[in-house]
Amino acid sequence: MISCEICKSILARKKIKFPSFRHHDFSTVSNNTSFEVCNNCKIYFNIENHNLENKIFNSNNYAKNHKFISRKIYNKKLSNKFTSRASVQFNILKNKIKQSSSILEVGCNDGELLFRIQKKFKKIKIFGVDTKPFKYFYKNSKINFVNIEEINKIKNQKFDILIFAQSIYYISPLIISHYLDMVKKDGVVYVEIPDFNINPHSILMGDVYFVPFVESIKKILAQNKFKINFIKNSKLDRELIIIGKRGIN
């Protein structure tokens, strides 16, 4: 029997008769999807499939083909034009960044967002965490890349801003808690997840660790004493953007 990582309740097993897919190429993960569900925390865990998919996440081929379509967003004002998701994320975050800030992005990929931040804020201390193959993109840069398997190297550091841009749901809630412990008392966490009301198919992502329902994210942040606010952005209207600050809900 498996227990919930947050409340320790025994998980129930539920199946849905729909196929699940990989987020980066939309290939099929499973024809029938099973979840381990915590009815107390409202979290649908997908641990078994996620563990199998880890081989792909840690492959050189995945890193080399990192620019999948989900990293671009459609620009409604310019017909048939796509814009960089990172540019929109930067515009949301820039007012929260100072030249003395320290930033950690978990799931930094090729660093598109972090390089934009560095270009604007020259003296900032920036760290990015991802799988080992992505280290290639940070050669000869001032951004500190950390292999996710070596996160203990920075476990005692504190950051002003922690970023989970479409990455939090690929991580165990226990590990998320460790990252949240690295946020300063007056720091913030940026979380971006799919809006299932607009993107219902995203519920069928088969390579996630847990399905990122709003209730699940709120539960994880609340457990770590973060109060949250939702931010609306017309260019990211298919996503939910959450800014978390330390406090009591």
Side-chain angles (χ1 to χ4, degrees):
M1 301 178 76
I2 304 175
S3 300
C4 175
E5 296 180 21
I6 296 176
C7 71
K8 307 305 179 185
S9 298
I10 301 300
L11 301 181
R13 192 168 183 84
K14 294 186 179 181
K15 293 184 178 181
I16 57 174
K17 294 182 179 180
F18 289 97
S20 58
F21 63 91
R22 294 184 179 92
H23 74 282
H24 60 97
D25 63 5
F26 302 104
S27 57
T28 301
V29 171
S30 174
N31 289 318
N32 290 290
T33 305
S34 296
F35 296 103
E36 304 292 344
V37 181
C38 177
N39 291 314
N40 181 42
C41 295
K42 310 302 181 186
I43 296 183
Y44 281 61
F45 291 97
N46 183 48
I47 302 171
E48 184 177 343
N49 279 337
H50 174 79
N51 290 340
L52 293 173
E53 292 297 307
N54 259 341
K55 295 178 181 179
I56 295 176
F57 287 130
N58 286 279
S59 69
N60 289 321
N61 185 59
Y62 175 76
K64 289 178 181 177
N65 295 283
H66 64 288
K67 290 195 178 297
F68 36 82
I69 194 168
S70 63
R71 303 195 61 219
K72 302 291 180 183
I73 52 177
Y74 185 69
N75 191 324
K76 294 178 180 177
K77 293 182 179 180
L78 300 173
S79 180
N80 298 321
K81 297 290 184 180
F82 286 81
T83 188
S84 166
R85 182 183 298 274
S87 66
V88 182
Q89 293 165 340
F90 171 76
N91 286 330
I92 295 171
L93 286 165
K94 65 182 180 181
N95 293 330
K96 303 181 184 302
I97 302 173
K98 300 176 181 178
Q99 290 289 1
S100 59
S101 294
S102 55
I103 291 178
L104 172 64
E105 182 180 11
V106 180
C108 58
N109 212 265
D110 67 341
E112 185 178 358
L113 174 58
L114 295 182
F115 282 112
R116 286 177 183 270
I117 294 172
Q118 186 190 53
K119 185 176 181 180
K120 178 69 175 180
F121 300 91
K122 303 294 184 182
K123 297 180 181 179
I124 203 166
K125 183 170 68 172
I126 302 178
F127 286 78
V129 174
D130 215 308
T131 57
K132 187 176 181 180
F134 282 102
K135 185 176 182 179
Y136 166 82
F137 296 99
Y138 299 85
K139 290 182 178 179
N140 303 317
S141 79
K142 294 183 179 180
I143 295 174
N144 302 282
F145 178 82
V146 181
N147 175 3
I148 199 166
E149 295 178 356
E150 299 176 342
I151 192 63
N152 284 338
K153 289 182 177 180
I154 61 170
K155 66 179 181 179
N156 294 321
Q157 298 205 41
K158 298 293 183 182
F159 296 91
D160 296 292
I161 300 174
L162 172 63
I163 301 171
F164 292 106
Q166 299 287 357
S167 62
I168 194 168
Y169 42 92
Y170 293 98
I171 307 169
S172 155
L174 287 177
I175 297 175
I176 293 170
S177 295
H178 291 312
Y179 286 121
L180 292 172
D181 282 342
M182 298 166 74
V183 179
K184 293 180 181 179
K185 289 184 177 180
D186 56 348
V188 300
V189 55
Y190 171 99
V191 179
E192 184 182 314
I193 59 174
D195 184 344
F196 291 138
N197 290 319
I198 301 173
N199 272 335
H201 67 277
S202 294
I203 295 174
L204 300 175
M205 291 187 294
D207 48 7
V208 299
Y209 194 92
F210 65 92
V211 180
F213 293 118
V214 173
E215 292 81 0
S216 306
I217 303 299
K218 288 170 68 175
K219 188 77 175 183
I220 293 169
L221 292 177
Q223 185 201 34
N224 290 276
K225 299 181 179 179
F226 279 81
K227 56 183 180 180
I228 67 173
N229 288 306
F230 290 91
I231 292 179
K232 292 184 178 180
N233 185 285
S234 60
K235 292 181 180 178
L236 289 177
D237 57 356
R238 299 175 67 83
E239 280 75 36
L240 292 174
I241 301 167
I242 299 168
I243 298 293
K245 295 184 178 181
R246 291 201 180 278
I248 300 176
N249 278 331

